[in-house]
Amino acid sequence: MSSISAKAGAATIAVPRRKRAVDRSQWAGYLYIAPAIALVAVFFVLPLGMTAWMSLHNWPLMGAHSFIGLDNYVAITKDVRFWKALNFTFYYTVIVTIAIFVVAFPLALFVERPRPMIGVYRTAFFMPVVVGFASASLLWAWLLNVDSGLFSPAAYQLGLTEKKVNLLATFNPAFWSIIVMVVWKVAGFTMVILMTGLQSIPTELMEAAKIDGASAWQRFRSITLPLMRRTLALSLILSVAGSILAFDQFYIILRGGPRNQTLTAVYWIFNQSFVSFKLGYGAALSMVLLVILVIISLVQLRLLRNPEGM
Amino acid sequence: MASARPRERSLATLLAEHGTGVVLSVIFVAPILWAVLSTFKPPSEARQPPLPPWPTTGFSLQNYVTLDSFGAGLWHSAQNSIYVAGMSVLLTAVISVFAGYGFSRFHFPFKNFFFLMILATIMIPFQSILTPIFLILTWLGLQNTLSGLVLVYVTLQLPFSIFMMRNAFDAVPKEIEEAARIDGAKSIALLVRIMMPLVWPGVVTVAIFAFLNSWNEFLAALVLMTDQSQFTLPIMMTAVQSGRFGAVDWGAVQAGVTVMMIPCLILFLLLQRFYIRGLTAGAVK
């Protein structure tokens, strides 16, 4: 009864009423996404804008801030430590990315085919991935410690070295120790991504090539690699993006040492912002890093799209 | 004889393969196992040669007891970490279920704009906006509070989580919802009673990632938590490892690392399927 009268009443203003019904469902949609939007706005979009704003200011932790235009950016051009840190970050990124691939690709080939025990191996290779970077760094800080750790004392105990060798005292051993630790920590991740790519290669293609007499190496070169291009590019992007932002392992294991040679870009930003409390300068450094990352991402996305680019 | 040769060869290959598999597995798992075993060494063994890795003069929990005496204590930091990770999981799940549902099932102006805005944050590293986040938390009166850290962690989780949940809702046929609506289910009831059981795997995936990422996060916690009583486990352990509470006690550090690793490993071993699903969905799409 009531529904009939409502319909009758609505007849004269049918169009606006229908529109209002649509509006109501629209508002419901806003209500569902509102908490997410609010958080992203307050803790992501607003800080992003503020970084740009703060970078134009002299902004100490205490006391008033003042507008100084591009002075922070001018100071960056003369900041030898920052350029050294950036240089080291790129060096680390290239080396660690290559190292991860050299280890992860054979692992992916190894665990790709289903057979007995393979689940156990996959799980074992992957276990370090779920351990946090800070936990892994603390763990390796101990393994690498010259007195109470594992590597040097064990080598000494087994008579491999005449005295305990401090791996963290000079640049090269320290650097390569970090590379080993990071490869141990993340190779399983890259392995799974590459494995997914390998599994998407049609088996008929491989069978056909086998019947045509192609060797394992020929099949790898002519089928696996080309078809893996997108997956390879993707894991490359992930590895590069992650490595450029490296901080935890260098802070926890090396504290930037020996002799500040392993300061990364993020480490230097952290130092300037939260140790020296030059928030404006830290923001300007952040902007520079941000621009560099965006450029690298765009270049990589082009590689991902354009087959000739690889 | 002709048939024996291939079988012999395959046995050799089999041995080689499993030999490789076992050796590699040991390499990857050994550091973890080593740390855990060494935490049970009594303090008298701390200065002894590191081999063998297990305690030889008796099993001891002294390392864990010692760890509890640093700063605000192991148990206190563990509680902070549990609170931060627990709240992050809860809020991330609830907020991303709502948002995923909203983005999947409703049409409203600027929908695509908002969705892209959330997704785009993946491209921008939070390391570069940490300074203003520090200021914003101060203005909100949340500086040095666990709740402030939770809000930051939840925000960082949202792009991945909302993407996951929207896809999960998209995969649910519209007919199921329409049938429920005809039967008289209202929006929220529909979401909770009809849709939730269908998108449950997605929620589990989102929850695992929220837990692991907030439990293990280091840099933001290091910057935002300056008061010892608010330290999460990774920050607390870094302070112990750097000798901020006196001489470095590596037994205690290993105990702390063990406490940090065990929940992650258990969670992964129990829910591996959901974790790998999230990994490939997040990375490949």
Side-chain angles (χ1 to χ4, degrees):
Chain A
M1 178 63 203
S2 66
S3 74
I4 293 172
S5 67
K7 242 179 216 162
T12 49
I13 45 163
V15 174
R17 225 195 114 77
R18 205 156 123 203
K19 203 173 170 199
R20 214 188 307 147
V22 173
D23 278 347
R24 208 192 302 144
S25 85
Q26 287 173 345
W27 276 110
Y30 279 125
L31 284 181
Y32 281 111
I33 67 164
I37 297 294
L39 276 181
V40 171
V42 174
F43 291 109
F44 225 111
V45 179
L46 176 63
L48 193 57
M50 277 176 68
T51 306
W53 173 244
M54 288 173 75
S55 74
L56 303 174
H57 289 75
N58 178 16
W59 200 307
L61 182 67
M62 303 289 178
H65 50 263
S66 55
F67 184 83
I68 54 167
L70 294 175
D71 284 6
N72 281 328
Y73 292 95
V74 174
I76 289 175
T77 61
K78 295 171 195 144
D79 187 342
V80 182
R81 272 277 170 76
F82 175 66
W83 295 107
K84 271 198 176 153
L86 206 56
N87 193 28
F88 172 71
T89 309
F90 287 138
Y91 175 66
Y92 164 75
T93 298
V94 171
I95 303 276
V96 83
T97 301
I98 294 171
I100 289 169
F101 272 82
V102 166
V103 172
F105 207 104
L107 284 182
L109 290 169
F110 184 75
V111 298
E112 179 232 344
R113 277 182 303 129
R115 57 193 133 120
M117 288 285 285
I118 207 69
V120 177
Y121 299 148
R122 276 182 200 161
T123 304
F125 303 163
F126 197 82
M127 269 170 67
V129 177
V130 292
V131 171
F133 236 109
S135 316
S137 302
L138 285 163
L139 171 56
W140 281 72
W142 165 66
L143 290 174
L144 294 164
N145 185 266
V146 63
D147 292 317
S148 316
L150 173 68
F151 296 142
S152 312
Y156 174 69
Q157 185 188 348
L158 296 171
L160 300 174
T161 52
E162 282 181 19
K163 55 184 169 70
K164 294 179 190 172
V165 181
N166 186 354
L167 290 167
L168 305 182
T170 45
F171 178 78
N172 272 320
F175 176 75
W176 287 99
S177 300
I178 298 280
I179 299 288
V180 170
M181 178 247 149
V182 174
V183 169
W184 170 81
K185 165 84 180 74
V186 303
F189 175 83
T190 309
M191 173 192 83
V192 168
I193 305 290
L194 294 176
M195 188 182 81
T196 320
L198 285 170
Q199 284 170 343
S200 68
I201 297 174
T203 39
E204 303 87 62
L205 213 58
M206 280 296 179
E207 293 305 322
K210 239 183 232 173
I211 290 165
D212 290 346
S215 69
W217 171 244
Q218 281 172 326
R219 291 198 301 271
F220 180 76
R221 282 264 347 237
S222 317
I223 301 176
T224 309
L225 275 186
L227 287 180
M228 285 284 286
R229 193 182 55 78
R230 282 182 63 88
T231 316
L232 283 170
L234 175 84
S235 30
L236 190 73
I237 291 176
L238 292 174
S239 169
V240 168
S243 310
I244 288 185
L245 299 168
F247 174 76
D248 298 10
Q249 63 272 37
F250 291 104
Y251 180 83
I252 292 175
I253 301 179
L254 298 177
R255 305 265 151 189
R259 290 185 293 128
N260 287 328
Q261 287 169 304
T262 61
L263 275 175
T264 64
V266 170
Y267 201 153
W268 186 239
I269 294 176
F270 165 82
N271 256 342
Q272 292 302 292
S273 304
F274 301 106
V275 180
S276 307
F277 290 117
K278 296 193 275 186
L279 302 189
Y281 188 63
L285 290 169
S286 298
M287 290 300 292
V288 173
L289 185 65
L290 202 59
V291 169
I292 292 172
L293 271 169
V294 168
I295 291 172
I296 291 175
S297 302
L298 289 177
V299 170
Q300 287 183 319
L301 280 177
R302 264 190 78 90
L303 288 180
L304 192 63
R305 284 216 194 95
N306 170 14
E308 284 76 44
M310 279 300 279
Chain B
M1 192 62 205
S3 69
R5 260 195 70 155
R7 207 188 300 153
E8 234 169 65
R9 221 181 87 89
S10 80
L11 186 68
T13 336
L14 210 67
L15 278 176
E17 278 187 1
H18 286 293
T20 315
V22 169
V23 169
L24 287 173
S25 300
V26 168
I27 292 177
F28 276 92
V29 178
I32 295 172
L33 222 59
W34 220 289
V36 175
L37 285 175
S38 73
T39 60
F40 301 121
K41 288 186 176 182
S44 57
E45 280 188 51
R47 285 270 152 191
Q48 298 299 310
L51 302 174
W54 49 84
T56 49
T57 58
F59 178 89
S60 160
L61 287 175
Q62 189 54 43
N63 284 320
Y64 293 88
V65 177
T66 311
L67 180 60
D68 204 34
S69 67
F70 287 112
L74 165 73
W75 178 230
H76 188 86
S77 304
Q79 278 176 312
N80 287 346
S81 274
I82 292 168
Y83 173 81
V84 168
M87 287 301 286
S88 300
V89 168
L90 192 71
L91 283 175
T92 304
V94 170
I95 292 174
S96 62
V97 163
F98 277 128
Y101 186 60
F103 280 121
S104 172
R105 286 300 199 259
F106 293 85
H107 296 282
F108 45 85
F110 303 114
K111 182 173 122 171
N112 288 336
F113 168 78
F114 283 125
F115 190 66
L116 280 178
M117 179 180 103
I118 291 175
L119 273 200
T121 57
I122 279 185
M123 300 282 288
I124 292 147
F126 85 95
Q127 287 89 338
S128 63
I129 56 168
L130 204 48
T131 318
I133 286 178
F134 175 79
L135 289 180
I136 289 169
L137 285 179
T138 311
W139 294 339
L140 293 174
L142 292 172
Q143 177 238 2
N144 232 338
T145 64
L146 297 174
S147 312
L149 198 60
V150 168
L151 290 177
V152 174
Y153 287 170
V154 172
T155 310
L156 296 182
Q157 280 310 113
L158 283 181
F160 164 78
S161 306
I162 291 175
F163 184 71
M164 276 297 291
M165 289 320 302
R166 192 199 62 160
N167 286 354
F169 281 113
D170 277 351
V172 177
K174 283 233 167 36
E175 289 75 26
I176 291 179
E177 215 176 334
E178 278 156 14
R181 218 181 269 282
I182 289 165
D183 289 344
K186 294 272 188 302
S187 275
I188 289 279
L190 183 89
L191 174 61
V192 174
R193 302 243 297 277
I194 313 291
M195 300 294 269
M196 279 305 279
L198 297 169
V199 296
W200 195 240
V203 178
V204 175
T205 303
V206 163
I208 296 171
F209 277 82
F211 177 85
L212 289 177
N213 288 340
S214 51
W215 179 262
N216 289 324
E217 202 285 330
F218 180 66
L219 178 56
L222 178 70
V223 167
L224 300 173
M225 305 285 111
T226 46
D227 180 352
Q228 221 185 74
S229 67
Q230 308 292 331
F231 280 2
T232 53
L233 279 173
I235 310 307
M236 172 70 190
M237 289 321 301
T238 315
V240 173
Q241 175 248 351
S242 70
R244 218 187 295 168
F245 300 116
V248 181
D249 183 332
W250 288 99
V253 171
Q254 285 333 292
V257 169
T258 303
V259 173
M260 281 194 276
M261 291 191 304
I262 297 297
C264 304
L265 293 172
I266 291 176
L267 202 67
F268 168 67
L269 293 175
L270 289 179
L271 301 168
Q272 227 181 106
R273 195 158 51 89
F274 297 95
Y275 185 92
I276 300 292
R277 178 207 308 258
L279 204 68
T280 43
V284 177
K285 279 177 187 158

